[in-house]
Amino acid sequence: MVIRLLYLVMGTSLLTLTTSPLQLTDGIEKLLKPFNKIKVPSHEIAMMMTIAIRFIPTLAEETDKIMKAQMARGADFETAKAMIPLLVPLFVNAFRRADELATAMEARCYNGGNNRTKMKETHMSKVDLGASIVFVLAAALIMAVEFLIEI
């Protein structure tokens, strides 16, 4: 289970460190495009995922600040009950930031994927195809090794 978690963290770190949020949104939207036929809003889902990824460092920084403030007041975070003074302000700040973001998007008349155009259209190149093949082969190899270990 630890190895799977490490692979997940390494994979997402590699993806987010090498891909801009705009490219990530466009890629997720393209992957989800077939679901538009059954009325699943691919653009809105891609935008939500990108916003969530974008706020992870902000929440980590906020958590660190709150932990330091609570430790300065003598808090001890070794029990689950002691985490409440950390979680309550964190959630309050997260909801406040989400509300500010929603207000900013409404002020800019954001309306989702309706009649949306792209400044730069992306296309799959030979390098992208090669990277995809390497990724699929690596994933298949990892699954095969895990399957053999279980036997």
Side-chain angles (χ1 to χ4, degrees), residues 9-74:
V9 169
M10 288 182 348
T12 54
S13 295
L14 183 66
L15 178 68
T16 56
L17 290 172
T18 59
T19 310
S20 73
L22 183 62
Q23 290 173 329
L24 198 56
T25 303
D26 289 343
I28 293 169
E29 188 176 352
K30 274 189 176 182
L31 283 174
L32 298 176
K33 200 74 155 175
F35 293 110
N36 280 345
K37 293 178 181 170
I38 56 172
K39 305 290 185 206
V40 175
S42 63
H43 175 73
E44 284 78 7
I45 292 171
M47 184 61 68
M48 285 187 291
M49 291 174 70
T50 304
I51 289 170
I53 290 170
R54 183 178 158 256
F55 274 105
I56 289 173
T58 306
L59 288 175
E61 183 180 312
E62 191 93 19
T63 303
D64 188 47
K65 285 180 185 177
I66 294 170
M67 277 183 90
K68 286 179 180 175
Q70 296 293 348
M71 286 169 46
R73 294 181 186 119

Side-chain angles (χ1 to χ4, degrees), residues 69-100:
Q70 296 293 348
M71 286 169 46
R73 294 181 186 119
D76 185 22
F77 294 109
E78 293 193 17
T79 64
K81 187 177 179 182
M83 295 299 279
I84 293 173
L86 174 70
L87 294 176
V88 171
L90 184 64
F91 279 113
V92 169
N93 288 339
F95 285 125
R96 182 182 45 79
R97 286 183 188 269
D99 187 51
E100 289 172 358

